[in-house]
Amino acid sequence: MTFNGIRALELLKLGTRLANACFRKGQEEAIRHVVEGAGRLLLVQKTGWGKSFVYFIAAKLLRERAMGPALLISPLLALMRNQIAAAERMGVRAETINSDNRERWSDVASAIERDTVDILLISPERLANEQFRSEVLAGIARRLALLVIDEAHCISDWGHDFRPHYRLLERIVRTLPVNVRLLATTATANDRVMDDLQKVLGPELHVSRGDLNRPSLVLQTMRLPSQAQRLAWIAAQVPALAGHGIIYTLTVRDAVQVADWLKSRGLNVEPYTGETGDSRPMLEQALLDNRVKALVATTALGMGFDKPDLAFVIHYQAPGSVVAYYQQVGRALDAAYGILLSGEEDIDITDYFI
């Protein structure tokens, strides 16, 4: 299929709302690769590079050539509101089926039957649901033009927060018809993860890997063994930091404790965890709008949350790996401070999760 670069750039301008928008290095080439059906593609690019524009623009171009819809599998549906809004500005009809919109499931299924959905977004857990497979997936599978696996490193990642249903993708990829394009994206892939992805997504897997260096980040690390020391340091330093940011903790209990402490010191912060529930969209927006100084968060606020002007990322405790740290400090897209505090309980918590 011929790639229309002029139309692709037009869609980028619509999505970004920038009349002078231009593709970043590698973006147009990735879209071209997918649209022309040049083989399976793994896109490894840093947070904020614009991976979502690649799959939304590719999906739109394929639909304009009378191709079938795209299926996007992501663990981040709750954090993709901004991306979906950008897709809609490009005229991409995006729908999602997830645990938060049960009341719309039948409407979405009907739209898929009428072929009025350009891209369907689901979590990997949906693939294990028999009703979804028989009533929705079966209808879309024969027309599918593009399969997108977002946060593809989850196929390889193991640990207490592992998404086991990502392993279902290995079986699906193995049986994928040759005419279905496959795009996998991630911002986090060390050599071990890359080897795993080559095995699962291969054998003919093309890799587009950009520069993951983040020269705009100023990083610092400090060893403060006791929690009291770290609480005192954060309470003293956060008010002096310009802008707004995220304070990461390893556990829900610590997130609540740190937030309560900072509130008692007069700081406008809120906890954000997997137990925050329906308040999460409101809290995300509050940080985006700079209405809170910081969110004190677990990994629940991680992949997929983009705030270009995030000014600082503080770790109350050290994450379990360098990869996890890169993923979290990468929430800061522009000039920002990353401050890693570590204490005597960090290893104990990581060992407990293991």
Side-chain angles (χ1 to χ4, degrees):
M1 179 181 290
T2 305
F3 172 73
N4 186 339
I6 295 174
R7 177 58 175 154
L9 182 59
E10 182 181 285
L11 291 170
L12 179 72
K13 291 177 179 179
L14 288 171
T16 59
R17 289 178 172 162
L18 296 172
N20 61 345
C22 57
F23 287 112
R24 291 192 169 106
K25 183 180 179 181
Q27 269 184 324
E28 185 176 8
E29 291 81 358
I31 297 168
R32 179 191 296 274
H33 187 103
V34 173
V35 170
E36 293 183 345
R40 296 176 176 182
L41 178 64
L42 172 61
L43 192 58
V44 185
Q45 295 285 354
K46 59 192 172 190
T47 300
W49 178 84
K51 295 182 288 296
S52 61
F53 278 115
V54 172
Y55 50 71
F56 283 132
I57 291 174
K60 179 65 173 175
L61 292 175
L62 290 171
R63 291 292 275 171
E64 289 179 348
R65 298 297 294 272
M67 300 284 286
L71 178 66
L72 185 148
I73 298 166
S74 172
L76 307 171
L77 299 184
L79 291 172
M80 292 191 73
R81 285 176 283 276
N82 291 343
Q83 291 96 321
I84 292 173
E88 289 172 348
R89 289 195 293 272
M90 294 185 283
V92 177
R93 297 167 295 183
E95 292 285 359
T96 178
I97 291 180
N98 62 73
S99 58
D100 291 334
N101 71 340
R102 291 178 183 275
E103 72 284 351
R104 294 205 63 246
W105 285 7
S106 60
D107 292 340
V108 175
S110 298
I112 291 170
E113 274 188 39
R114 297 193 305 271
D115 197 24
T116 58
V117 175
D118 296 325
I119 184 166
L120 176 65
L121 294 78
I122 63 168
S123 69
E125 285 76 13
R126 197 61 41 202
L127 296 171
N129 183 287
E130 180 58 40
Q131 182 179 1
F132 172 80
R133 290 205 309 267
S134 61
E135 296 181 9
V136 179
L137 192 58
I140 201 175
R142 65 182 181 276
R143 296 182 284 113
L144 204 64
L146 170 64
L147 174 64
V148 181
I149 303 172
D150 194 27
E151 307 298 344
H153 63 275
C154 292
I155 291 173
S156 178
D157 274 1
W158 292 88
H160 70 280
D161 56 354
F162 172 62
R163 301 289 287 267
H165 290 94
Y166 256 88
R167 299 306 295 188
L168 292 173
L169 293 172
E170 185 168 2
R171 190 184 318 152
I172 290 172
V173 168
R174 200 182 305 126
T175 59
L176 207 62
V178 292
N179 62 318
V180 177
R181 295 156 174 79
L182 185 145
L183 170 66
T185 69
T186 181
T188 311
N190 57 21
D191 289 344
R192 177 189 59 78
V193 172
M194 291 292 288
D195 288 344
D196 275 358
L197 293 178
Q198 290 275 5
K199 292 172 186 172
V200 173
L201 304 177
E204 297 299 324
L205 181 68
H206 300 262
V207 178
S208 173
R209 191 168 192 172
D211 179 15
L212 301 183
N213 186 33
R214 305 297 297 273
S216 62
L217 299 183
V218 177
L219 304 182
Q220 179 181 2
T221 180
M222 283 184 287
R223 177 78 176 170
L224 297 175
S226 76
Q227 292 195 356
Q229 288 174 296
R230 276 170 279 143
L231 288 170
W233 187 93
I234 291 173
Q237 298 300 322
V238 169
L241 289 172
H244 306 261
I246 300 172
I247 301 168
Y248 277 111
T249 68
L250 288 178
T251 70
V252 171
R253 177 174 166 271
D254 285 315
V256 173
Q257 182 185 57
V258 173
D260 286 347
W261 160 251
L262 293 178
K263 283 182 180 181
S264 77
R265 310 311 296 169
L267 279 164
N268 181 16
V269 303
E270 293 293 339
Y272 183 108
T273 74
E275 297 178 8
T276 305
D278 295 341
S279 299
R280 287 203 279 183
M282 178 186 69
L283 292 173
E284 293 161 25
Q285 197 60 50
L287 182 56
L288 289 169
D289 295 341
N290 295 329
R291 288 184 280 110
V292 292
K293 181 66 176 178
L295 292 181
V296 185
T298 61
T299 54
L301 186 67
M303 298 179 294
F305 179 79
D306 294 340
K307 176 177 167 61
D309 61 343
L310 200 71
F312 60 87
V313 177
I314 297 173
H315 281 79
Y316 176 67
Q317 294 143 328
S321 70
V322 173
V323 171
Y325 178 71
Y326 180 86
Q327 182 71 248
Q328 291 162 19
V329 80
R331 297 307 101 209
L333 306 181
D334 211 337
Y337 288 101
I339 303 164
L340 173 64
L341 306 179
S342 61
E344 57 193 5
E345 80 274 15
D346 300 4
I347 294 176
D348 290 339
I349 292 173
T350 304
D351 286 347
Y352 171 79
F353 282 137
I354 291 172

